């Protein structure tokens, strides 16, 4: 999958420009990644004979993915750093940083869903 975004300590979030869909990804996509992409609106088409998977993003689904998944995840990295004193170096191991950012993003998505539902 193309790189989507990063958090540069202390306090800079970078969202990367994405290739024009459909993306041609080498091999078969891991089930967890496929589920995450499809949940965000991507249409996955495995082409085993070519050894690739096409990932298409209809309408504004790629934009929503970048905002709802990537940006909120990177904000989670920032929140962790902020609560630990804004140090100029990462304050947690990469695995722990990623887990914390993922938990933050999931909580924020749940709160947004709850707020936007009737």
């Amino acid at each position: 999958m193309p790189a989507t975004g990063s958090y540069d300590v202390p306090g800079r979030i970078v969202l990367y420009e994405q290739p024009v869909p459909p993306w041609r990804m080498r091999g078969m996509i891991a089930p967890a990644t496929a589920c995450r992409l499809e949940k965000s609106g991507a249409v996955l088409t495995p082409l085993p004979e070519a050894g690739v998977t096409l990932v298409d993003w209809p309408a504004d689904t790629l934009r929503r993915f970048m905002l709802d998944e990537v940006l909120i995840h990177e904000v989670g990295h920032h929140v962790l750093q902020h609560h630990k004193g804004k140090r100029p170096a990462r304050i947690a191991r990469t695995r722990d940083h990623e887990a914390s950012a993922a938990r933050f993003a999931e909580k924020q998505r749940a709160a947004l869903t709850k707020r936007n539902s009737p």
Side-chain angles (χ1 to χ4, degrees), residues 30-75:
T33 301
C35 183
R36 183 173 154 232
L37 294 173
E38 289 174 331
K39 187 177 176 183
S40 296
V43 176
L44 277 58
T45 307
L47 300 173
E49 65 282 354
V52 298
T53 301
L54 294 181
V55 180
D56 202 4
W57 296 96
D60 72 340
T61 54
L62 178 56
R63 182 180 66 84
R64 293 294 344 148
F65 171 75
M66 292 299 293
L67 295 174
D68 296 346
E69 293 286 330
V70 179
L71 178 60
I72 201 74
H73 178 88
E74 300 308 330
V75 169

Side-chain angles (χ1 to χ4, degrees), residues 22 28 39 65 80 98 108:
M28 298 298 109
K39 187 177 176 183
F65 171 75
L80 177 61
E98 289 301 322
Q108 296 308 307

Side-chain angles (χ1 to χ4, degrees), residues 5-53:
S6 66
Y7 176 70
D8 296 335
V9 174
R12 182 171 170 230
I13 294 173
V14 179
L15 298 180
Y16 303 122
E17 181 176 4
Q18 297 302 299
V20 175
W23 299 345
R24 283 179 59 100
M25 298 177 65
R26 189 174 299 165
M28 298 298 109
I29 297 174
T33 301
C35 183
R36 183 173 154 232
L37 294 173
E38 289 174 331
K39 187 177 176 183
S40 296
V43 176
L44 277 58
T45 307
L47 300 173
E49 65 282 354
V52 298
T53 301

